[in-house]
Amino acid sequence: TMARDYNVTTLSEAEALAALTTAGGLKTQTVTLRRPRILAAETGIALKANASTTSPLGDQVALDNLMGLAGIPKALAKSTPERLLTPLIEWHLREFDKLVMVTDEDNRAMKILPVNALSPAMTGEQVMEHLKAAFPEIQYQRAGMDQDFRADVLTLAHNEPERLEQYLQPGTHVRLPKGGDPFRTGVHLRFSPLGTVAPMIEPYTVRLVCTNGAIHQEYWGGRGFGEGDELWQWFRDGIAAAAAKVRDIFTSYADMTKEALTGANRSMAVDGLIQQAGLPRAMADALRDRAIAEPPRTMYALWNHLTAVTTPFPKQTFGQQLQRMATAGRVASAEHHAAYCITCGRN
């Protein structure tokens, strides 16, 4: 069921759809709060929203949601006795007239959020149908859904690779890998079949030499879904806008190939990039080790070291990988690049 194209492993449509589909029986409902209470239940605790609506909390996520609505930090909740915590949550819930709950087939609350936090629901089938209409050659590199019912999918829009050489002056390609530096481009999409997260569309690139990726939020060139938007028109416009930003992204890559690093400034550039990217210690150490083993000759080479140590880092969840890909895209932009670049004169 797995296909390989340009050494990038992709999912079948069935696999992608399965990863973007919620479990059966889940639904979103709006409940009115009248003297809300936190009650003991057979499996833990329950939220009594009003006289006729009581829902057991399905897991820790729903309880964390309630504490978040009440403005109670997790650290404080752990050190506060339940007999004191319960009335505090009840008191703050009275500030809300209504709440939205995601419930399962047994009416257990799996997630609780304010009414104004609810976004349009988009199913995996709908998203994939519109993607195929925009990109007939579309492939799905990775897909998944987290405990907040937030679905993420990395897509590759075209079979034909984008080559960095097209954006370079003649002769500068000698600094690129043997055989050139091809990429595939696509989009990263975030949505929720239950409306628990605002939809988002971002350009995405995969370097085929190493299959490390970057998500380029700063090249979106538009806005997320907002009030007054028609959902699927916004979606089509967003896909087109993200695809149109490919030239800007590769121009930023090309600019980095022109910026040479030598022994005198290489370590400063590495430290600056670590600080700008906000890398945790393990990743920072891995980047320094890689820069010593394979000294980067250009800022572009250093940036690729960053994607190499952050994207496949062990024990990362899909969500954490997406965050690191977004970081890689961010520090490649001109604005953030200037904060750590030693050679380009923009800092």
Side-chain angles (χ1 to χ4, degrees), residues 268 334-347:
M268 293 176 60
E335 177 185 356
H336 290 89
H337 177 80
Y340 66 90
C341 179
I342 304 301
T343 64
C344 69
R346 291 179 295 201
N347 50 334

Side-chain angles (χ1 to χ4, degrees), residues 248-263:
D248 292 339
I249 293 170
F250 281 94
T251 297
S252 72
Y253 293 171
D255 287 344
M256 287 192 289
T257 67
K258 305 172 187 176
E259 296 155 6
L261 292 178
T262 64

Side-chain angles (χ1 to χ4, degrees), residues 67-132:
M67 290 190 294
L69 290 169
I72 302 172
K74 290 184 179 180
L76 177 61
K78 290 181 179 179
S79 61
T80 304
E82 186 176 327
R83 60 184 175 82
L84 299 178
L85 191 61
T86 296
L88 186 58
I89 294 175
E90 292 175 345
W91 174 264
H92 283 284
L93 287 181
R94 293 175 184 177
E95 300 173 6
F96 298 88
D97 295 325
K98 297 180 179 181
L99 290 176
V100 173
M101 293 196 302
V102 176
T103 56
D104 65 9
E105 56 190 2
D106 296 321
N107 197 40
R108 294 181 302 172
M110 309 304 292
K111 184 173 178 63
I112 304 171
L113 62 158
V115 173
N116 61 6
L118 193 64
S119 293
M122 304 167 70
T123 67
E125 294 96 330
Q126 291 172 321
V127 168
M128 292 174 68
E129 178 183 348
H130 282 80
L131 282 171
K132 285 190 287 186

Side-chain angles (χ1 to χ4, degrees), residues 320-340:
Q320 289 170 330
Q321 284 189 332
L322 292 172
Q323 290 176 358
R324 296 303 173 192
M325 289 181 186
T327 296
R330 174 173 56 82
V331 298
S333 67
E335 177 185 356
H336 290 89
H337 177 80
Y340 66 90

